[in-house]
Amino acid sequence: MASSVLARLKEELAAFGATHDADAAHAARMLNITPDTGEFLAVLVRATQARRILEIGTSNGYSTLWLAEAAQAHGGHVITLERDADKVAMARENFLRGGLTGAITQWQGDAGDWLAAAPASAIDLVFLDSQRQAYAQWWPWIDRVLRPGGLLVVDNAVSHAQEIAALRALLDAARGYAVSLVPVGKGELLAVKPGGLVLKGS
């Protein structure tokens, strides 16, 4: 029953975002991920068994629901950051409706402030869907908080490629990072931090 409620909620939010954004000013738009991107994120969370997930850019919580539902299956948790108070309130209501409040921590404010104060290697997976002009500035902090072997996922990597070009250049220059562009939704840039678990042969 709970899963069907959540599925209907995600469908509702996807439709609302598309309709709302068609007439809204840019600052008021939901700017949600596409449903296939949500499915892709859920697969990534489950495949990596990410337990400590950071989302930068909550909006109305649509992408957060995908991340949290997948994370909850193996005891994971999502911290989601958003500046806009109205969107924070909207997302809170959606998390309650989706039954996922226990798997999500909301934080309102500037993502740079949170990143600067966060401990090193505290996050398994970072999903970046926020102020694209700030990504390159945030990069040293993102690199610090992401654990060795951790995964960075950046939305809009095709639709707004020029706006994330500075971050892409930093990732390409970062020693040991494996980087790949995946043409799902609006384009997802994936980067795996070097290090992590080394599997030994039997």
Side-chain angles (χ1 to χ4, degrees):
M1 181 65 72
S3 61
S4 63
V5 169
L6 184 54
R8 289 196 298 272
L9 175 59
K10 288 189 292 188
E11 290 175 0
E12 175 190 323
L13 293 179
F16 167 74
T19 302
H20 175 273
D21 287 5
D23 299 317
H26 187 273
R29 292 176 186 168
M30 299 298 105
L31 301 173
N32 291 147
I33 60 171
T34 61
D36 57 342
T37 299
E39 293 170 353
F40 181 63
L41 289 175
V43 168
L44 290 176
V45 169
R46 289 176 182 271
T48 61
Q49 292 288 288
R51 294 174 59 87
R52 304 168 299 172
I53 299 168
L54 174 66
E55 176 185 48
I56 303 179
T58 312
S59 187
N60 64 348
Y62 177 64
S63 54
T64 323
L65 292 172
W66 284 101
L67 292 166
E69 181 185 21
Q72 185 175 247
H74 53 259
H77 193 90
V78 179
I79 300 170
T80 184
L81 316 182
E82 174 62 55
R83 293 190 306 174
D84 186 277
D86 291 337
K87 290 181 178 178
V88 169
M90 192 181 305
R92 183 180 298 113
E93 177 62 25
N94 289 329
F95 301 156
L96 182 62
R97 289 178 60 195
L100 288 170
T101 54
I104 300 168
T105 297
Q106 290 183 270
W107 190 89
Q108 183 183 348
D110 185 83
D113 293 339
W114 191 96
L115 288 166
S121 301
I123 301 297
D124 300 317
L125 186 152
V126 175
F127 179 54
L128 196 51
D129 187 17
S130 183
Q131 310 165 63
R132 290 181 288 273
Q133 70 276 13
Y135 289 178
Q137 175 187 340
W138 292 343
W139 164 243
W141 296 325
I142 292 172
D143 179 49
R144 181 176 57 80
V145 303
L146 193 63
R147 68 160 174 82
L151 176 64
L152 169 66
V153 185
V154 186
D155 194 35
N156 301 112
V158 172
S159 64
H160 295 77
Q162 288 302 315
E163 294 183 17
I164 69 164
L167 175 63
R168 175 65 194 262
L170 289 168
L171 286 167
D172 288 340
R175 184 175 180 180
Y177 268 83
V179 183
S180 178
L181 178 62
V182 181
V184 173
K186 299 172 186 176
E188 304 304 310
L189 184 64
L190 274 58
V192 178
K193 186 172 181 176
L197 180 65
V198 177
L199 299 179
K200 299 181 179 180
S202 56

